[in-house]
Amino acid sequence: MADNVIVIGSGPAGLTAAIYLARAGLSPFVYEGFQSGGMPGGQLMTTGAVENFPGFPKGVDGQLLMSDMKEQAARFGARMSMEDVSGVDLSARPFKVTSMSGETKQCRSLIVATGATARRLPLESERRLWTKGISACAVCDGALPIFRNKPLAVIGGGDSAIEEAMHLTQFASKVYIIHRRDELRAGAIMRKRASEHPKIEILWNKVVEEFVGDSVLVSLRLKDTKSAQMSELKVSGAFEAIGHVPNTSFLAGQLQTSDTGYIVTKPGSTAASVDGVFAAGDVQDSKYRQAVTAAGSGCMAALDAERWLVRQGEQL
Ligand code: NDP
């Protein structure tokens, strides 16, 4: 028998959808994921303290927040499996969802909330010092005490890099933007803002060869891409802003995506291009990418799916 709704993903979007669906009596089934696209619970599982999620004046540990969301969904009857989805068949209803174990489940409606993976520099020193001065989200981590009044670096030359750098100027003594070319990818307005900001300095034609530090980041070893000359830059924090990859490969092109791979939803709704399929969180959002906006869109997807099922006259 087909489930009313399957949710793929267990970050703030997927679990908020599950809480709402479960409370509505729809008994959702959640594929939490296992490895593909990051760990179950999403990007907050690898963030330290979350200080901007409303309701936690003293901040909350990212892992704790996600385990509490999971417990909340389970309390209302959401069923969950810590498995990756390997493929879906959206060509006919009920939809089919196949997991890595080879099991196929059917569902009347589907919510895709698989998030996006922040691109990271493939360096051993980056892995070692991750969350110890290295982050992929200035909005999430920039205000932490370890970064206050210290020189910080943002790596990348796109709109995100400039936005992150601008955000960090509130806390940092100075913000370096480290870009591998001699021209920013960011749009004209952002380029102007960065070049005019007194706290921002752009280091052109530079790549990070190594993140230096024992227990915390203390400096970056930089290489000039033109002269191959090496230099050392003392910073207490480095924020990678080298793009995100939405986790959609299991969809095999069955939903419309933007030219950067994000699932396209109808404006003002979470409806994806296939009737009965909804998308929430970072997999459909290249702009805001916050835990609270992901949770908000997960709520929207649950309400959209519930109303869609009612409209279909589907047996709930
Ligand atoms: P982008 O893909 O636009 O930019 C990524 C940047 O990282 C590029 O400058 C790229 O360099 C650099 N980069 C990629 N890989 C590496 C690497 N291995 N080493 C060093 N540098 C690397 O990603 P963004 O996240 O900035 O933006 C994604 C989308 O979201 C864009 O369409 C953007 O316009 C949009 N956006 C809009 C905002 C707004 O309107 N306010 C805010 C944020 C994002 P190179 O340039 O050489 O390729």
Side-chain angles (χ1 to χ4, degrees):
M1 206 179 108
D3 279 299
N4 287 315
V5 52
I6 286 179
V7 178
I8 309 177
S10 60
L15 290 181
T16 303
I19 291 166
Y20 272 75
L21 293 163
R23 282 195 81 233
L26 292 172
S27 187
F29 188 89
V30 182
Y31 280 108
E32 292 177 69
F34 180 58
Q35 262 186 326
S36 118
M39 51 204 304
Q43 294 182 69
L44 285 193
M45 298 297 285
T46 52
T47 308
V50 181
E51 294 186 327
N52 53 10
F53 201 91
F56 298 93
K58 297 187 177 77
V60 58
D61 176 75
Q63 294 190 8
L64 182 64
L65 180 62
M66 295 323 298
S67 71
D68 280 353
M69 279 193 203
K70 183 173 167 179
E71 190 183 322
Q72 196 173 351
R75 179 181 151 214
F76 293 111
R79 296 160 297 143
M80 302 188 207
S81 168
M82 206 177 273
E83 272 187 282
D84 283 328
V85 166
S86 56
V88 293
D89 180 355
L90 308 178
S91 61
R93 293 206 299 266
F95 304 125
K96 295 190 186 69
V97 179
T98 303
S99 66
M100 285 295 189
S101 67
E103 186 199 16
T104 296
K105 287 177 81 67
Q106 299 194 341
C107 57
R108 301 183 177 96
S109 64
L110 179 69
I111 294 177
V112 180
T114 43
T117 306
R119 278 200 202 107
R120 288 172 55 184
L121 293 173
L123 298 171
E124 183 280 325
S125 55
E126 194 264 13
R127 296 292 179 272
R128 193 168 47 77
L129 291 168
W130 180 250
T131 74
K132 295 168 185 149
I134 307 177
S135 160
C137 180
V139 177
C140 319
D141 300 329
L144 293 175
I146 55 165
F147 299 130
R148 298 234 168 199
N149 301 313
K150 301 276 171 50
L152 305 175
V154 174
I155 301 151
D159 284 318
S160 295
I162 309 302
E163 214 166 59
E164 302 252 303
M166 298 292 295
H167 183 77
L168 290 173
T169 57
Q170 300 170 75
F171 319 107
S173 57
K174 171 146 191 145
V175 181
Y176 298 97
I177 294 177
I178 296 163
H179 186 36
R180 62 184 176 183
R181 293 190 291 132
D182 56 7
E183 189 189 0
L184 292 173
R185 178 174 294 276
I189 295 172
M190 300 294 258
R191 287 203 303 265
K192 187 166 181 290
R193 278 191 198 151
S195 63
E196 287 176 355
H197 200 290
K199 274 193 186 175
I200 294 180
E201 181 181 346
I202 304 175
L203 303 182
W204 304 103
N205 304 312
K206 298 279 187 294
V207 287
V208 178
E209 286 279 288
E210 197 185 345
F211 295 87
V212 182
D214 290 329
S215 53
V216 291
L217 180 74
V218 294
S219 68
L220 303 175
R221 200 157 289 147
L222 302 177
K223 183 179 178 179
D224 190 291
T225 53
K226 294 219 157 133
S227 67
Q229 200 175 348
M230 300 296 295
S231 58
E232 189 111 354
L233 182 71
K234 287 205 181 316
V235 287
S236 299
F239 294 80
E240 292 175 72
I242 58 173
H244 281 75
V245 183
N247 301 319
T248 57
S249 57
F250 68 97
L251 293 169
Q254 292 173 81
L255 291 180
Q256 190 192 343
T257 52
S258 67
D259 53 5
T260 47
Y262 289 84
I263 295 176
V264 173
T265 52
K266 295 201 179 93
S269 136
T270 59
S273 57
V274 171
D275 203 25
V277 180
F278 305 87
D282 288 13
V283 75
Q284 51 84 57
D285 172 21
S286 66
K287 190 173 173 190
Y288 300 106
R289 298 192 303 230
Q290 299 302 299
V292 69
T293 51
S297 74
C299 160
M300 289 165 64
L303 297 176
D304 286 343
E306 182 186 352
R307 287 166 193 169
W308 183 87
L309 286 164
V310 170
R311 275 202 307 279
Q312 300 301 304
E314 300 274 4
Q315 197 180 347
L316 300 180

